[in-house]
Structure formats: C-alpha cells, structure tokens
Amino acid sequence: MDLLFAARYPFVDSVSEIPEISSVSAEDVVSSPYMEDVRRRGLSRVMEALESAEIGTPSLLGKSDRFTEIMSYPYARILVSCVNDRYLTKRYALAEASRAADYLEEEDPKRIDAIARTVGAKTQIVDGEFKMHFADYLRLASRIKGSEWKLVNHDVGKGFVTLPKGKFVRLLQNALQDRIESELPLDVPNAIANAVRGDVDAISYILADRKSRFATEFTGDLNPDHLPPCIRALLGGAQSGTNLPHAGRFALVSFLNNIGMGSEQILTLFSQSPDFDESKSIYQIKHITGELYGREGYTAPECKTMKTNGICVNEDDLCAREKVNHPLIYYRIKSGTGRRD
Amino acid sequence: MDRNSRFLLKSFRKYYLANAPPMPPRYGRREFGFMFFDRDYVQRHMGFQTPADLRRFMVGQVPSHSYYSTAYYRRPGAPTMDEKEWMGADLIFDLDADHLEGADEMTYAGMLEEVKKEMIRLIDTFLLDDLGFPEEGIQIVFSGGRGYHAHVSLQSVLGLGAQERREIVDYVTSTGLDVDRLFPAVGTANKVSDTSDGRRASVRFNREIPPKNSEGWKKRAREGFEVLVEDVCTLPPQELRSKYPTLGKKNASTVANLSNDLRKHRKFIMENDRMNPMDTFRQELLVETMKEDVVPRLAGEVDEPVTADIKRLIRLPGSVHGRTGLRVVPLTRAELTGFDPFLMAVPEEYSDEPVQITMRRPYEVTLKGERFKLNGTVEVPEYAAVFLVGRREAEIGDGSPDPGPF
C-alpha cells in the first residue's frame, strides 16, 4: 500500500502494516514534539466535523503531508473516544466517511473495489460496472430517501444491483460511516487520555456550546405518555441522534406542531441529529409548520399514511380501536384534550 | 368441546402420533404459538429446545393450529417482545387466495391452482432470477389452507429490517417503478437552422427500448414490449383494443395508423432498440400502453404485510391445518410444479372408515382421487369427514343435537 492511498483512507486495516506507520507508538503521537502537526490536524478533523459535518482535504503532495494525514486519524479517534459523546461520535463518523467518499469519486474501479471489501459489502466490479448484492444495497440505501433510490428502479439480476459509480460510492460512504462509528469509542489508556486533555477540553467546550444553543426547554405540557407509539419512536430517534427518514421528520414535526409546539421548540429536538444543519432544519420545520408563509401548517399524516411510509410501529391496544385512525386522535384520547376543530 | 372438535382432535392426534413436525432451522431461537380445539386463546411465547419436546407437546396437546416465529430471538420463550431480543428473521413471501380477482366465483381447488401458478412465477422470475437466491435456499410450503409460502433463511437476508423488506415487496409488485427509466426519451439534434439570433438546433426526443440482454425489470419490459409490438402488428383491431384499454380509448383510425406505422418500422426498432422512425405521438402511445396495461401484468403478487413483518408467526411445516385437516407440506421447487394438495396433503393417518356426517349445504370435492358429491346426512371416509368438518361444510352425526361428551 502506498502512503497516498493510506492518507486518503486511513481507516483501512492494512495501513498499520506500513513500516513508517507501525513504528510510531501512541505515546509518540500524543506527546512527541515532532508530532505537533499530526495533533493539530487531528484536532481539526474533530472540530471541522463538529462544526460543519465535513472534513477538508489538505494537500497530500509531499511525503510528510501524507504521514501527517495518516497519523492524525488515530489521534482524532483518541480525542473522540475521550469526549465519548454519542452526538459527536456520529457526526465525526459522518464527516470522515464523507471525506473519504470525496476521494473515492475520483478513484479507478480497482481502488473503489479495495475499499468496498474493507466494509464487508458484497460487491462485484466487472468491466467498469459497479454491482452490489441487493441485501447490502437495501441495508445501505434504505436510509436515503427518494424514488431514484428505490430498488425497483435499478437493474437487478442474480442477486446483484448494477449501479452508476456515484451511487455506488454514496453507499460505500454509508457503510464507512457505520464502520467508523461502530469502532468508537476506543479503550484509551489513562496515560494517553491525560496527555490529550487539552484538546479534549477544547472539543468538549465547543460541543457544550453547540448543544446549549439548541437546548431551550419545551415549556408546554408535553407528556411522553400521551404520545402514540409511532411519534414516541420518532421522537426517541431524533433525540438519540438517529437519522430519521424524510417521512418520519415530516410526521414528527407536523404532529408536534399540531399539538401546540412552535418551530423553535421543535428545532431543539432535531439538534441531536448527526447531520443537523441549523439553517436547513429551521427552514424545513418552518415549511411544515407554515410559519415560513404565515399560514396554517400541515396536518400530521393519518395512520394509513404512516403505515404506507413504514413508520407505524409498536401498535398498542388504543391504536387498534376502530375510531383511532390518526395519531392526533390517539393523543387527544390519552391527554384528555378535546378535538380542536 | 363439541362433537366436531372432538372428532377432529382424535384424527389430528393419530396424525401427530405418526408424524412429529420436522424442526425448523435454528428452532432453539424461535418462538412457537398454538391454538386448540377447546381453548379460545392463542398460546404464545413457547420455546422448544429439542425435537422430542415438540413431539411430546403435539401428541399431548393436539393443537388445532400450529405456528412458529419467522424471527430468531435471544430468549424465544420470554413473555414480551423486548425481553425476547430480536436477532434476525427469515424472509417470507406469502401468497394466498384472498387477493385473487374473482376468487368468490372459484372453487377452493380452482383458487389453489391459480395461487400455485403465481407462486411459481414469483419464485422463478423474482426469487431465483432477479434476487439470485439458490434454489436450495428457498423452502416452499403449502399452507394447508388458502395458499403457499416461500421461506428464505439465508444469512444475507436475516438482518433486513421491515423497511428494507418492504422495498423487496415494491420491487416484486412494481410499486414505484419508473417506466420512463426503462424507455428513456433521448434528445438528439434534429435540424439545424439559421435564425436572426444565431444557429438553432431543434431537439427531438426518441424513446429507447431495453436491449435484449437486460436483466430485472428491463428484461421483463423488453419481453412485454415484444408482445405488445407483435399484438399491435397482427391482432385484429377489435381484439387489440380490448386487450390494451389504453389503445381502446383512442380513435379507431389512430390505432390503425399505429399498426401500419409499426409494421413498417418494426424491424428497425427491435434491432436498434430505439423508436426513432416513428413519430413522437406514436412513440408516446406505445410507452403509455406499457405503463398502463403491460407493466401491471408483468408485476408479481405477494402479501405485503407478511413479508414486511419481522416478528410474525407463520404456520409450522409438518403440522395439520385446523380448518382443513390438510398437512402443511414443505416442497422443493421441482415438487411444486406437480403438487396437488387434494392428493398429496391429505394425511394417510386419516382412515377410509366410514363416518356419518350431515352437510350444511350441498358440496362437491375431489379428495385422494375420489369425487364426492354430497348433500344431507351421508357416510364418507374419515379423511373426507375431517376436511368437510374442518371447512365447516358438514357436522358430525345425523343432524340431531349434540349429546355432549360422556
């Protein structure tokens, strides 16, 4: 493996077999004066991820550039592990995967194949055609919405989905994100953790600040016990930092708005999402609540629609009652509030 | 328990004494569920750790209906779903007579024959060709009731979530299929002309058709298109217009012109995989006919909720169905073709001894090759009595009130 490849994809297992890399100890990385560039780049990987969910791609022309880029990856992982915050970890994994995908777009099929193999996806790249086993395709594509990602709109034969390069790389990005996230946090020895305390504190400070900006409390009387199981699941997902599908976000925002929450309050709930983008989110929320145009917002989808969209989950006895055909009816019964209209 | 239930229970026990249901793969991780002749609830959350445990249960309790979970759990016997801890689930395709058009007018046997045909198409076209499952990776089951199931227990699909399984259903049923992707309109510069503000090329869009060696939906669309072209070129107008309602809605002359034009250019179109020689209106008419009339006929059938449900109980192969007495029969793909449930799913343990029954209404059925045309109080072999009483077509005895157990 050459250093350039390793610098682009430092998560590949065989990177640690490169002599220049394997000879460096963790102690060196965190404390050697010769590793200052490595630590600076490592910290910026995490900070950039935190602030914009993206990590820039520096020049990799010289050998030392490449070395710094490679070694900064394990350093960044030590930092993320020491902070050990679910939101940060998810956002960092997203940014690292998207950085790698930017490089992958430009690679030839052989190299893309090499990366595909490291994430355990069953793929075939033959004569410039990119193919992925349909089960891997579904696992990686189901979180991306839009009819162009439906399985039915792809050529499927003998178990494999034929994909254009761009889509194939986009799916690898999801797989990389899963992998990077699943490896964190690392078990960091105390001596190492102490040595990186300064950088960890800096990240924690920015992280806390970012969270507090969105942490205004909902002061209305939202009792989670009154929420229907579908909305409870979506809310739980949003708060634990899971990426919700579009239909899920729409249902959650419109529902919360229908029961009286304002756009800002709803925004705080979404701020936990790993790909959270404040300006984009507030726009989407205000679109649904109608605030953007100064008119009435959308009404939350009925149970039938929720079912079609696959977000009707954990149906309970109350859901099963004949007249309960809408999440809002469930809420009104549970909370004892009358119909609004 | 009334005398009908007592009779069925006795026959079922004879069956289970001779036949323990084969254990499904990874049975130690599955939940089992049962219904009984003398209890009106479903007994769920049961786990069996050995084949002998299940056999003892079947012979001792003689359930009327037996199910097992398509899902695997860390603790299958735990009372709540959370405690069970889901580990994965078989991928299930269920086809039954409920969705059949005109099922009301069909006999039970006629319905099952239709469902079997659809099952064969589902397996051959979608499961083997497109999704690429190996034949031995698909277990086919006659449900004992109104249809067939296909179980896929391959490692690659066990972890799929409900949403991902729904995508497979959409693939099979052509839900959300973009027909314009299959017949893309490709723009080519047609005519270049000089105008006052420079040279202009007028762009003409021509529809392409999926090439011969395509796979998946493109392959089906190609085949469907070939049939459509053949029909448009050769069928009498009346027949053509009734076979394709989209053409039926057009003027007779429009359709006649389409036929003439297509006969002229057919060779070019099929060889070059594009419709260029025809004018745009006729190209669009063909694509619209594909969308509205042809593609829906190419779609497969499958029961969506069953495939999407990752925690479902499904009938246990090797058990008998409480509403028919028929065996839930595991089948290979080769066996499915010639499978006749009325010959092959009637357990041998039900005897030929005559049993007196009273029909609720006149009924005809062929079982084990023998034709029964029944009305009133009659004597039939035990195997026929089990089927008829199970189906609620007859009652045990001469029609006088049930004396109850001794």
Side-chain angles (χ1 to χ4, degrees), chain B residues 15 19 320 325-327 344-351 368 383:
Chain B
Y15 172 81
N19 306 279
V320 277
L326 297 177
R327 204 156 66 87
M344 302 168 181
V346 183
E348 284 169 24
E349 289 70 24
Y350 306 161
S351 69
K368 289 174 87 170
Y383 67 81

Side-chain angles (χ1 to χ4, degrees), chain A residues 108-114 116 123-131 168 172:
Chain A
D108 61 33
K110 230 179 101 196
R111 293 215 144 167
I112 296 178
D113 199 21
T123 55
Q124 294 174 350
I125 303 181
V126 190
D127 301 332
E129 274 206 317
F130 294 82
K131 290 170 185 269
F168 188 87
L172 286 190

Side-chain angles (χ1 to χ4, degrees), chain A residues 218 256-257 259-268 285 289 291:
Chain A
F218 174 61
L256 293 173
N257 184 238
I259 65 169
M261 275 177 98
S263 296
E264 296 293 335
Q265 290 165 325
I266 297 170
L267 182 68
T268 63
I285 292 169
T289 60
E291 223 173 293

